[in-house]
Amino acid sequence: SQSKMKASLVFLATFATRSAAFAPASTTVFSRNMSTNAVPLANGAMSFDRVCREWRCKYSGDKATSESLEEISKLVDEYLPQIKAASKDATVNRLICGGCLDFKLMTTVPLDDFGPWEEGGHAPEAEFLEKLKKIEGVSQVETQTITNMIL
């Protein structure tokens, strides 16, 4: 819950300020484009404050005439309003590679919204993927959670 998180942060902040005098000086240099709630990576050289859930698969046929890709498009249209409901700040990107026959749908939300969305099973992920797997010509249906930052 949010009250537990706030209490934990207050405790952590109190502990950090009291123990700072005894800690060695930090050598971490944070990136100038890191937001205040960002999570640092790579010794502070990178950070993230947005998390992406990727749904991907292989489709069959030529990208210009693929029936499986056409059916995937209809499925995306059907679920897009529900997908965007993950967060008021959600961004949804569609990626298609005609050479390797990849289809990817990437939904990126702010870090603060990711936890609740994840707890809800990344809705409507299960239903969407179940229908995706039933499309003739679709294979290798997979998911991945990754950070996704605009630079």
Side-chain angles (χ1 to χ4, degrees):
S1 76
Q2 232 173 356
S3 60
K4 287 183 181 178
M5 187 186 319
K6 286 181 181 177
S8 297
L9 289 173
V10 168
F11 173 77
L12 184 60
T14 303
F15 176 78
T17 56
R18 291 189 179 161
S19 63
F22 304 102
S26 174
T27 57
T28 302
V29 177
F30 291 100
S31 172
R32 67 182 123 93
N33 64 352
M34 190 173 3
S35 71
T36 55
N37 66 337
V39 176
L41 300 169
N43 298 312
M46 293 185 279
S47 66
F48 73 94
D49 62 4
R50 296 183 60 77
V51 181
C52 173
R53 184 67 172 177
E54 179 182 274
W55 304 338
R56 64 179 175 257
C57 67
K58 297 284 188 180
Y59 66 92
S60 60
D62 180 83
K63 66 184 176 294
T65 58
S66 171
E67 291 182 16
S68 60
L69 194 55
E70 181 181 359
E71 292 303 310
I72 292 168
S73 177
K74 292 175 186 176
L75 187 62
V76 171
D77 289 345
E78 177 185 348
Y79 280 91
L80 192 57
Q82 291 176 56
I83 294 166
K84 287 185 173 183
S87 166
K88 68 179 181 66
D89 296 313
T91 58
V92 181
N93 298 90
R94 181 193 67 219
L95 294 84
I96 298 169
C97 177
C100 60
L101 306 180
D102 281 342
F103 170 84
K104 298 179 181 188
L105 197 66
M106 300 174 68
T107 305
T108 303
V109 300
L111 183 60
D112 293 340
D113 294 343
F114 186 76
W117 186 40
E118 183 179 41
E119 289 170 11
H122 305 106
E125 179 176 285
E127 192 175 317
F128 180 92
L129 296 179
E130 182 180 324
K131 289 184 177 184
L132 184 63
K133 290 175 184 176
K134 291 179 180 176
I135 295 173
E136 188 175 335
V138 166
S139 62
Q140 297 180 31
V141 175
E142 300 173 336
T143 63
Q144 183 176 6
T145 299
I146 53 178
T147 67
N148 186 4
M149 294 295 294
I150 298 170
L151 303 179

